[in-house]
Amino acid sequence: MIRVLLVHDACLVRSVLAEWLRREPDLGVFDSSWQSAPGRLRSVRPHVCAADLDCSDAYGIPPLGDLCAREPGRTPPRLLVLASANRPGLLKRAAEAGALGYVDKESSPEQLVDGIRRVSEGKRFVDDSLGFGFLKAAEMPLTRRELSVLSLAAEGASVAEIAGSLHLSHGTVRNYMAAITRKTGARNRIDAIRISQGEGWL
């Protein structure tokens, strides 16, 4: 039996998808919001985490590292993400977090089942339709830290709030914002946010 933790912030979508997956005799399916996921990980000890990359926390940054964190005496679950080709920034985050599986949210439920089974065996699974998103992710000029800073700025966080959230000094945050503005070819912080959202980096 493959234990699966489905992480999705839309309760109705999560519940329906979990019920659909439970029809498969080899899958033991549990579900959780992003906020409750760390606790569910400890109690369920899943083989696979299937996580939607859209996260509705304060800044919309999916804490993928929390799903793969190593703890003594526990094998971390393998990570499969539900993604969209037009969000290359999130694809890049998932790749850096070590995700093995990438299922397009526009694909069929059968693709998700296939992906879960493949990932549970330690094999990579990537929907062909996400290829363009990965190409865009490879071309993205911003680092993971710069994306984190910009994501917080896009939600209206001040320099002080960004510094506090990411455990950085105010000067370091300003340096990151200057680098982001330069790399995106923007005129200012607001223009950098606009460009990055248009490219799907945020």
Side-chain angles (χ1 to χ4, degrees), residues 61 89 92-93 96 140-153 161-169 172-180 183 201-202:
I61 303 171
K92 185 173 184 177
R93 285 181 185 278
E96 289 173 343
M140 191 165 43
L142 304 180
T143 66
R144 178 172 56 180
R145 181 61 90 181
E146 288 166 349
L147 282 171
S148 296
V149 168
L150 193 59
S151 295
L152 294 171
E161 289 169 334
I162 295 171
S165 179
L166 299 179
H167 309 291
L168 301 171
S169 71
T172 300
V173 172
R174 291 191 185 94
N175 288 340
Y176 276 127
M177 287 306 307
I180 290 165
K183 287 182 177 182
W201 299 342
L202 295 179

Side-chain angles (χ1 to χ4, degrees), residues 3-9 11 14-15 18-19 22 28-51 66-69 71 74-77:
R3 289 193 305 279
V4 180
L5 179 62
L6 176 66
V7 182
H8 200 300
D9 273 346
C11 182
R14 183 177 76 238
S15 299
E19 282 303 313
R22 288 184 184 115
V29 182
F30 306 83
D31 62 276
S32 170
S33 65
W34 273 103
Q35 186 176 16
S36 303
R40 293 289 276 162
L41 277 171
R42 288 189 291 272
S43 61
V44 171
R45 293 181 175 267
H47 300 108
V48 176
C49 268
D66 292 350
L67 300 183
C68 307
E71 296 179 11
R74 183 174 77 86
T75 302

Side-chain angles (χ1 to χ4, degrees), residues 85 87-89 91-93 95-96 130-144 146-147 182-185 195-196 198-201:
R87 300 293 301 278
L91 283 172
K92 185 173 184 177
R93 285 181 185 278
E96 289 173 343
L130 294 175
F132 179 72
F134 278 105
L135 285 174
K136 294 282 285 182
E139 296 169 355
M140 191 165 43
L142 304 180
T143 66
R144 178 172 56 180
E146 288 166 349
L147 282 171
R182 184 183 70 254
K183 287 182 177 182
T184 56
I195 291 168
S196 298
E199 292 288 343
W201 299 342

